[in-house]
Amino acid sequence: MRWWDIAPVLDLEHALFPDDAWSPGMFWSELAHARGPGATRHYVVAEDPVTGRITGYAGLAALGDLADVQTIAVSREAWGTGLGSELLTDLLKAATDFECATVLLEVRVDNTRAQRLYERFGFEPIGFRRGYYQPGNIDALVMRLTMQEQAVHEHAPETGTE
């Protein structure tokens, strides 16, 4: 994600999260920490190959050996295409590049679609943050992934019948 992506990302942000959308300043602040040798953020956008329109975006913050998924969003038109998995895979690769041992995230308790995605990647629920999403006063489920477990999960032999 670059500064020129902020306006179209905000359009998607407001379409998907009308009550608790990020402000332009929040994205500018995050991108300010995404470049250079001391970068602590990783932000990416996904574009429709035909139209060039942004169909998804995601961001990660890293501090020491801990990473936090700041945001991940996919346009409704792209739901079910695997784009969410691609974006999350990119964030986890960035967490590895930042040498993070653990990745945390918060997800709305009523967003079971996203929770299932995170569970498929090995994230486990570890608690709640009451009233985290404002102004709707919606609770957040906090989930954690230990990167060592993720590596084992990725490289485990497939089992099943042929």
Side-chain angles (χ1 to χ4, degrees):
M1 184 185 297
R2 302 299 295 263
W3 65 266
W4 54 81
D5 295 318
I6 291 176
V9 163
L10 282 168
D11 290 342
L12 185 52
E13 175 84 0
H14 286 282
L16 293 170
F17 312 111
D19 295 332
D20 52 5
W22 279 25
S23 69
M26 292 171 78
F27 281 105
W28 279 102
S29 177
E30 289 295 295
L31 290 183
H33 300 283
R35 298 271 182 253
T40 59
R41 305 291 193 275
H42 174 79
Y43 276 77
V44 62
V45 295
E47 295 179 350
D48 181 292
V50 175
T51 66
R53 189 175 66 90
I54 290 178
T55 55
Y57 57 91
L60 179 95
L63 182 59
D65 68 349
L66 181 64
D68 190 74
V69 174
Q70 299 293 306
T71 187
I72 186 166
V74 173
S75 68
R76 286 182 179 87
E77 299 82 31
W79 285 3
T81 65
L83 181 55
S85 292
E86 289 179 42
L87 290 169
L88 186 55
T89 297
D90 186 86
L91 294 185
L92 295 178
K93 181 186 177 309
T96 299
D97 293 345
F98 281 124
E99 299 181 359
C100 295
T102 304
V103 179
L104 296 174
L105 60 82
E106 295 87 16
V107 59
R108 289 173 61 112
V109 294
D110 58 358
N111 190 346
T112 56
R113 177 185 204 86
Q115 290 172 33
R116 285 193 305 270
L117 169 67
Y118 302 138
E119 287 169 355
R120 283 197 313 270
F121 276 76
F123 282 86
E124 297 177 333
I126 60 168
F128 293 94
R129 293 198 173 149
R130 303 287 177 209
Y132 184 79
Y133 293 98
Q134 295 296 327
N137 203 36
I138 307 295
D139 295 344
L141 173 64
V142 181
M143 301 182 82
R144 176 181 60 208
L145 174 69
T146 302
M147 293 301 287
Q148 186 176 27
E149 292 171 7
Q150 172 66 12
V152 170
H153 176 71
E154 285 178 357
H155 298 98
E158 301 222 6
T159 59
T161 58
E162 295 185 61

